[in-house]
Amino acid sequence: MKVLIVHAHPEARSFNGALTATAVRRLAAQGHQVRVSDLYAMGWNAVLATDEFAGFAQGDYFNPAHAQEQAYSTGTVSADVAREQHKVAEADLVIFQFPVWWFSLPAILKGWVDRVLSRGFAYAAGRKYDTGLLKGKRAMLSLTTGTASTLYTANGIDGDLHHILWPIHNGILAYTGFTVLPPFAAWMPAQVTDEQREHYLERYAQHLAQLDELEPLFFHPRHDYDQHQQLKPGVVARSGVQWNPRAGQSFEASAAAFKQH
Amino acid sequence: MKVLIVHAHPEARSFNGALTATAVRRLAAQGHQVRVSDLYAMGWNAVLATDEFAGFAQGDYFNPAHAQEQAYSTGTVSADVAREQHKVAEADLVIFQFPVWWFSLPAILKGWVDRVLSRGFAYAAGRKYDTGLLKGKRAMLSLTTGTASTLYTANGIDGDLHHILWPIHNGILAYTGFTVLPPFAAWMPAQVTDEQREHYLERYAQHLAQLDELEPLFFHPRHDYDQHQQLKPGVVARSGVQWNPRAGQSFEASAAAFKQH
């Protein structure tokens, strides 16, 4: 298996760094090929703008998605984006490693999504969700938080983590066709003991060792929708979160209060 | 009233541009002072990194939140961030104008949040949600989408827009103490008629004219939580979305299927 880790933390010695190092070691030991896109180290340009489109002339009207589609179809994608798209195209599994900043991705990682998962490469007209262009690949979030797991529950002040991650899981990963594996969360690693941090790394190694046994998150298949892209009568809407004990093993016990919703 | 519009679209002639122009005109006509931070035009640096911290020495361990807090307390915030913080500090209302990219903010706007709403300026230890440091100010999202309103419902393939916006409404705006006004959505303006676009601009002008009558989104007050930041027994969790007809007027009728959840 070929694995791409898209890594987004500005400090190499951070716990995010330790998680990625663990993943590289563990996956290599299992015989997988692993590549890391370390966005801060690469000086990744986070901003989708006209400057990356060679075909764009001063005064042209800039529609980002159209520009992406045209660049992709004419083979004029900028070199930095093309390199990342090549890595994604080769990968069987893409892992996103990041600290949760403002209940979401750090801007540098959002900018990787904005620019790399372009219209033409990752999705197109009529090619989204289970016909997305990255169909057949798997993706997974591995994240760290600044607060405790108990706060990220339905009754906790920050709200259910699965609810918070839904726009990413559904709107980025499932949207482009990825099969979405349950996320791995290391809760406020900056404020726990060395033993707890070691424990997180062990659990992450276990999580990676059992990827094939993890139940992917649930998303309604296309045939659950009618021609207006509405769930058909009788199909009960449920979110990408299908709570099950196996997936639950990736979370600390204190997060067991997560609810299906 | 002083209003700051944080505007994030790479094309000045886009419909986002028309919405911001409408807001500037309308709010000025009402006697308000309006400033616009046009992030693309400003060449805003989206990436929170060591380079903005004058006090950071090569080899130091970089903890972004700690670096922000130290910079703020020692008056060494970088000039670009300090200018934006000054605008926010002066504003009674902050409007975020953006196209929904990947069910979220464009990276350049996420980078404005990452860098400007810093620890020390917008939140601090024990100062979050209804004790957030921006308490007393109001904030509002004004967004455009690439697909139809009917897709952004509980039964639509993209899911309830309010659910999608929850991490922004709760995790950025309410978190820092803002009173959150109901969002304004212009549905796929790139694919509708000129008449429909005009209609959107008229509705947006109406939305801005009645800001004081709009019911803010609901978030549980601090006294609903116990000392572990869990909702107290007997308090039923509800999200930031309090569906009500008045707020609903900001959305197209076809989005009336939005449900409270």
Side-chain angles (χ1 to χ4, degrees):
Chain A
M1 182 168 73
K2 291 183 178 179
V3 182
L4 171 63
I5 303 176
V6 186
H7 178 88
H9 197 288
E11 170 56 64
R13 293 162 291 179
S14 68
F15 195 70
N16 278 267
L19 287 162
T20 287
T22 295
V24 169
R25 221 173 21 241
R26 166 61 60 138
L27 293 166
Q30 292 173 249
H32 304 305
Q33 290 179 44
V34 189
R35 300 178 85 166
V36 179
S37 287
D38 182 342
L39 301 185
Y40 272 93
M42 292 156 65
W44 179 255
N45 169 19
V47 177
L48 173 55
T50 56
D51 54 6
E52 77 179 67
F53 299 101
F56 184 82
Q58 187 90 25
D60 285 355
Y61 185 91
F62 181 51
N63 178 313
H66 291 182
Q68 287 183 328
E69 194 156 40
Q70 187 168 27
Y72 194 75
S73 68
T74 57
T76 58
V77 173
S78 71
D80 60 345
V81 171
R83 271 193 297 273
E84 295 304 299
Q85 291 180 339
H86 182 69
K87 293 179 195 171
V88 173
E90 292 228 306
D92 303 295
L93 167 66
V94 180
I95 297 174
F96 296 86
Q97 178 64 54
F98 62 99
V100 172
W101 285 359
W102 294 109
F103 291 57
S104 187
L105 308 175
I108 199 169
L109 180 52
K110 179 57 168 49
W112 185 96
V113 172
D114 287 349
R115 297 182 63 222
V116 175
L117 301 185
S118 69
R119 187 174 171 99
F121 171 68
Y123 72 102
R127 300 297 302 274
K128 61 180 183 178
Y129 293 113
D130 57 6
T131 59
L133 298 173
L134 303 181
K135 180 91 173 166
K137 301 177 185 300
R138 296 188 290 180
M140 190 189 98
L141 305 182
S142 174
L143 56 92
T144 60
T145 68
T147 48
S149 61
T150 49
L151 273 56
Y152 285 105
T153 59
N155 286 325
I157 197 166
D158 289 336
D160 186 328
L161 185 69
H162 288 299
H163 189 155
I164 293 166
L165 297 179
W166 160 258
I168 304 171
H169 279 146
N170 181 65
I172 298 172
L173 303 181
Y175 191 93
T176 53
F178 281 111
T179 297
V180 186
L181 298 180
F184 181 83
W187 307 98
M188 53 173 191
Q191 293 170 69
V192 298
T193 62
D194 285 346
E195 288 69 26
Q196 181 60 55
R197 277 191 287 272
E198 280 302 320
H199 181 61
Y200 284 149
L201 296 178
E202 282 162 28
R203 291 176 69 100
Y204 188 42
Q206 287 166 17
H207 189 89
L208 295 170
Q210 65 171 18
L211 288 181
D212 291 340
E213 292 127 64
L214 293 173
E215 181 103 16
L217 302 189
F218 173 82
F219 299 92
H220 286 280
R222 183 58 64 101
H223 60 72
D224 278 356
Y225 292 94
D226 66 18
Q227 73 273 29
H228 304 296
Q229 303 183 70
Q230 304 293 309
L231 282 179
K232 293 174 181 168
V235 177
V236 177
R238 52 186 172 125
S239 82
V241 181
Q242 186 176 29
W243 189 247
N244 68 61
R246 269 197 306 182
Q249 288 169 6
S250 302
F251 291 93
E252 291 305 292
S254 53
F258 279 16
K259 287 171 185 166
Q260 191 169 338
H261 71 282
Chain B
M1 182 168 71
K2 292 186 177 178
V3 182
L4 171 64
I5 302 176
V6 186
H7 178 88
H9 198 288
E11 171 56 64
R13 295 161 291 180
S14 67
F15 195 70
N16 279 269
L19 287 162
T20 286
T22 296
V24 169
R25 218 171 24 240
R26 167 62 59 138
L27 292 166
Q30 292 173 250
H32 303 306
Q33 289 180 43
V34 189
R35 300 179 82 165
V36 179
S37 286
D38 182 342
L39 300 185
Y40 272 92
M42 293 156 64
W44 179 254
N45 168 19
V47 177
L48 173 57
T50 55
D51 53 7
E52 76 179 66
F53 299 100
F56 185 82
Q58 187 90 28
D60 286 354
Y61 185 92
F62 181 51
N63 177 314
H66 291 182
Q68 286 183 328
E69 193 156 41
Q70 189 170 28
Y72 193 76
S73 68
T74 56
T76 58
V77 173
S78 71
D80 60 346
V81 171
R83 271 193 297 273
E84 296 303 301
Q85 290 179 340
H86 182 69
K87 294 178 196 171
V88 173
E90 293 229 306
D92 302 296
L93 167 67
V94 181
I95 296 174
F96 296 87
Q97 179 64 54
F98 62 98
V100 171
W101 285 359
W102 294 110
F103 292 57
S104 187
L105 308 176
I108 200 170
L109 180 51
K110 180 54 168 48
W112 185 94
V113 171
D114 287 350
R115 297 182 63 223
V116 175
L117 301 185
S118 70
R119 188 173 170 98
F121 171 69
Y123 73 101
R127 301 296 303 272
K128 60 180 183 178
Y129 293 114
D130 58 7
T131 58
L133 297 174
L134 303 180
K135 180 89 174 170
K137 301 177 185 300
R138 295 189 291 180
M140 191 189 98
L141 305 182
S142 173
L143 54 94
T144 62
T145 68
T147 49
S149 61
T150 50
L151 273 56
Y152 285 105
T153 59
N155 286 326
I157 196 166
D158 289 336
D160 185 328
L161 184 70
H162 287 299
H163 189 155
I164 293 165
L165 298 179
W166 159 257
I168 304 171
H169 279 145
N170 180 65
I172 297 172
L173 303 182
Y175 191 92
T176 52
F178 281 110
T179 296
V180 187
L181 297 179
F184 181 83
W187 307 98
M188 53 173 192
Q191 295 170 69
V192 297
T193 62
D194 284 346
E195 287 69 25
Q196 180 61 54
R197 277 192 287 272
E198 281 302 322
H199 180 61
Y200 285 149
L201 295 178
E202 282 162 28
R203 289 177 69 98
Y204 189 40
Q206 286 165 19
H207 188 89
L208 295 171
Q210 64 171 19
L211 288 182
D212 291 340
E213 291 127 65
L214 293 173
E215 180 103 18
L217 302 189
F218 173 82
F219 299 92
H220 285 282
R222 182 57 63 99
H223 60 71
D224 278 356
Y225 292 94
D226 66 17
Q227 73 275 30
H228 304 296
Q229 302 182 70
Q230 304 293 308
L231 283 178
K232 292 175 181 169
V235 178
V236 177
R238 52 185 173 127
S239 82
V241 182
Q242 186 175 28
W243 188 247
N244 69 61
R246 268 196 306 180
Q249 288 169 5
S250 303
F251 292 94
E252 293 304 293
S254 53
F258 279 16
K259 287 171 184 164
Q260 191 170 334
H261 71 281

